[in-house]
DNA sequence: ATAATATCCTACCAAATAAGTAGGAAATTC
DNA sequence: GAATTTCCTACTTATTTGGTAGGATATTAT
């Protein structure tokens, strides 16, 4: 499961995506409108800035902006940044690889299945971007299952 | 990511699957051969028994057995049992649904994408069973990536 | 200059979860 | 009734999560 922090990150990014091209948005603004604890949000946004997907400006008229267009920011990027590995096992993670203790990697059946799972997940998360999330929200209420 | 406990569970189950039809296997046996902390493994196996996928016998000649054939035990079942939800958000979990705080479900773009991701993951994990894991191991070393 | 506005930085804290241990009770077999 | 083996309850410890506090630093406006 994604951490609460990651959910906050997405909510904030969605907000920024909606305001893309209209200048900086205040942390306090995002915090209020999206119901995210202010100080926590500060940290989150700052992290994403350091990671290169946000830009910031201090002082009056300042705030945060997406560093690139919403359709350039992949969900996989955000998740890896804020949440960590996408794979279900360290040994099949592309970006956070770590060997499994006491398990023979070249011979591990679980590992192979989890590699397949990772690929299926990634196929979606590498394709979907913030723009897709915004679009879905504007498409109006939908019930899903 | 799957917890270490879940990895242990899978290692143990794989071992039991390999010995399926040959009578009970001792906890201590699994513990040694698969390098899993004994007392921890005790708890894990017992949990899975209560959940209905294992059977046990006490006393001499006792031990654990799979309650059904390896190809009847889905990976999704095991993960849900030991690890918890498979979905990336509580609001899209089929078996562990919980509402997200401060997020309008009927209108949430992230939710929709995560529902798609969940489906893709489940499509694999509901299909693959312990038998597949065992088969992969017997298919011999393979390098993946 | 200097006050006001905002982000940035360092550090800390509490609650929850994960990972594992200890010790004996209960059932089964020999 | 002794040996074997799982079962049960409870505890401990380490790590991660979800924050908070307080001031430093940069920018703008007067
Ligand atoms: S090598 Fe990672 S689970 Fe076997
Ligand atoms: S409702 Fe679950 S993330 Fe929006």
């Amino acid at each position: 499961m994604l951490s609460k922090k990651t959910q906050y990150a997405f909510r904030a990014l969605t907000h920024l995506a909606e305001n893309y091209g209209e200048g900086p948005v205040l942390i306090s603004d995002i915090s209020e409108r999206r119901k995210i604890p202010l100080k926590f949000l500060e940290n989150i946004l700052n992290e994403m800035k350091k990671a290169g997907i946000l830009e910031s400006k201090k002082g009056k008229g300042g705030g945060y902006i997406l560093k690139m267009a919403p359709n350039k920011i992949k969900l996989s990027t955000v998740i890896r940044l804020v949440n960590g590995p996408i794979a279900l096992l360290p040994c099949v993670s592309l970006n956070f690889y770590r060997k499994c203790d006491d398990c023979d990697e070249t011979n591990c059946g679980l590992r192979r299945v989890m590699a397949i799972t990772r690929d299926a997940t990634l196929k979606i998360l590498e394709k979907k971007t913030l723009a897709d999330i915004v679009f879905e929200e504007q498409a109006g209420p939908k019930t899903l299952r």
Side-chain angles (χ1 to χ4, degrees), chain A:
Chain A
M1 297 258 282
L2 300 180
S3 66
K4 221 159 173 181
K5 183 177 171 186
T6 308
Q7 274 188 69
Y8 289 154
F10 274 119
R11 294 233 289 271
L13 289 171
T14 305
H15 190 84
L16 289 173
E18 283 171 1
N19 291 66
Y20 187 65
E22 303 174 13
V25 183
L26 293 180
I27 301 180
S28 55
D29 199 41
I30 306 176
S31 164
E32 279 170 34
R33 307 264 294 265
R34 298 284 172 160
K35 302 260 186 59
I36 305 170
L38 177 65
K39 287 301 262 178
F40 198 15
L41 181 58
E42 259 183 41
N43 295 334
I44 297 169
L45 292 175
N46 201 235
E47 253 179 61
M48 293 198 282
K49 178 204 162 179
K50 283 183 189 163
I53 69 176
L54 293 183
E55 237 167 339
S56 68
K57 242 189 103 184
K58 288 181 183 174
K60 182 147 195 177
Y64 276 95
I65 339 174
L66 293 184
K67 199 161 187 175
M68 39 200 129
N71 69 354
K72 294 295 175 204
I73 301 181
K74 296 187 275 190
L75 302 198
S76 59
T77 306
V78 177
I79 293 181
R80 283 182 175 131
L81 217 73
V82 184
N83 207 70
I86 287 171
L88 288 174
L89 291 175
C91 60
V92 291
S93 170
L94 298 174
N95 290 253
F96 298 84
Y97 171 84
R98 266 181 30 238
K99 190 178 165 330
C100 289
D101 306 340
D102 306 311
C103 194
D104 172 20
E105 200 162 279
T106 60
N107 231 37
C108 177
L110 185 63
R111 180 163 188 264
R112 293 186 198 168
V113 176
M114 291 309 168
I116 296 172
T117 310
R118 175 205 65 197
D119 288 339
T121 306
L122 236 35
K123 195 170 174 181
I124 297 166
L125 297 179
E126 303 259 75
K127 190 132 212 161
K128 295 283 185 180
T129 69
L130 291 186
D132 293 306
I133 294 188
V134 173
F135 174 78
E136 286 287 353
E137 313 221 327
Q138 281 159 357
K142 205 183 284 183
T143 319
L144 57 83
R145 154 101 303 236

